[in-house]
Each structure stands twice: as C-alpha cells, then as structure tokens.
Amino acid sequence: MDDILKVAAVAVTASLCACVVGKQVKELGLVLALAAGLLILGSAFQTAGAVRTFLEDLANTAGLAPAILAPVLKTVGISVVTRVSAALCRDAGEGGIAAFVEIAGAILALYVSLPLLQAVLDALTELLV
C-alpha cells in the first residue's frame, strides 16, 4: 500500500510541475513528465522482480517449460513500453506517431507470442493423434 501512495505522490507532484512549467516551455514540461515516469517505472520494476520469481517458481511447480512463460513476460513488457511511448507521443502532440507505436507494439507482441501459440498447437496435435 505504501508503494502506490509514493507512486501517486510522485505522479501528482510531477503532473502539477509539468503543467506549470509546460505553460512556459512545453518541451521542459515533457522532459519533466518523462523523468517522473522513469522514476515511477523504476519503482515498479523493483517489485516486478519478485513477481517474475514467483511466476517462474509457479511454472516450475506446474512443470511448464520456460518457453511457455517467457513469451507471456515479453508480451507484458512490450505492452508497457508501447503504452508509455504512445502516451508520451500524444503528450508531445504527435498522435500519428503514437498510433504507429501502438500498431508496432501489437505486431511485436504477436511475434513474441508465436512460440506460445506453437506450443499450444503442438499440445493439441498430440491430443488428437
């Protein structure tokens, strides 16, 4: 609970500062927002390590191959980077670039999930034969 309160405090403070500074120098407001975002993501990634360890332990207990869990984690990473990048592009007034980032993120997420789809197809093939 403390972590989300810290994240919220940084986000609100940075948003207010970026809003005030952004009226004078728009680029500086965007840089401030980006710095705050990186600080927030850094805080979140500290706890993401514990989540990853838990998921790996869970996969080992269930007997899942690492090839099954890796695409899921990669897809989550791609979605986070895509969402943040698109939001920053929109904040900079580049909605067209944001749309291209989102399309590229969707294609890349599908690409990294191909091994998972192949594993599902192999499992179905084994069940049918």
Side-chain angles (χ1 to χ4, degrees):
M1 182 70 173
D2 290 337
D3 291 339
I4 193 62
L5 293 176
K6 290 176 187 175
V7 165
V10 168
V12 170
T13 303
S15 295
L16 291 173
C17 290
C19 185
V20 170
V21 171
K23 289 180 181 179
Q24 302 298 322
V25 182
K26 185 176 182 180
E27 294 82 10
L28 191 57
L30 185 62
V31 169
L32 180 60
L34 180 61
L38 291 174
L39 182 66
I40 291 168
L41 283 177
S43 173
F45 283 142
Q46 288 177 352
T47 57
V51 172
R52 182 182 177 138
T53 302
F54 173 76
L55 290 175
E56 288 173 350
D57 291 343
L58 187 63
N60 289 336
T61 302
L64 295 175
I68 304 262
L69 185 61
V72 173
L73 295 175
K74 287 179 183 179
T75 303
V76 169
I78 288 170
S79 69
V80 168
V81 171
T82 299
R83 183 168 180 157
V84 169
S85 299
L88 287 171
C89 289
R90 280 194 188 85
D91 285 350
E94 296 296 334
I97 295 175
F100 288 125
V101 168
E102 290 170 342
I103 291 168
I107 291 169
L108 291 171
L110 182 60
Y111 175 74
V112 298
S113 67
L114 288 178
L116 181 58
L117 295 173
Q118 185 64 47
V120 169
L121 182 62
D122 291 345
L124 287 175
T125 304
E126 285 182 23
L127 288 174
L128 294 175
V129 175

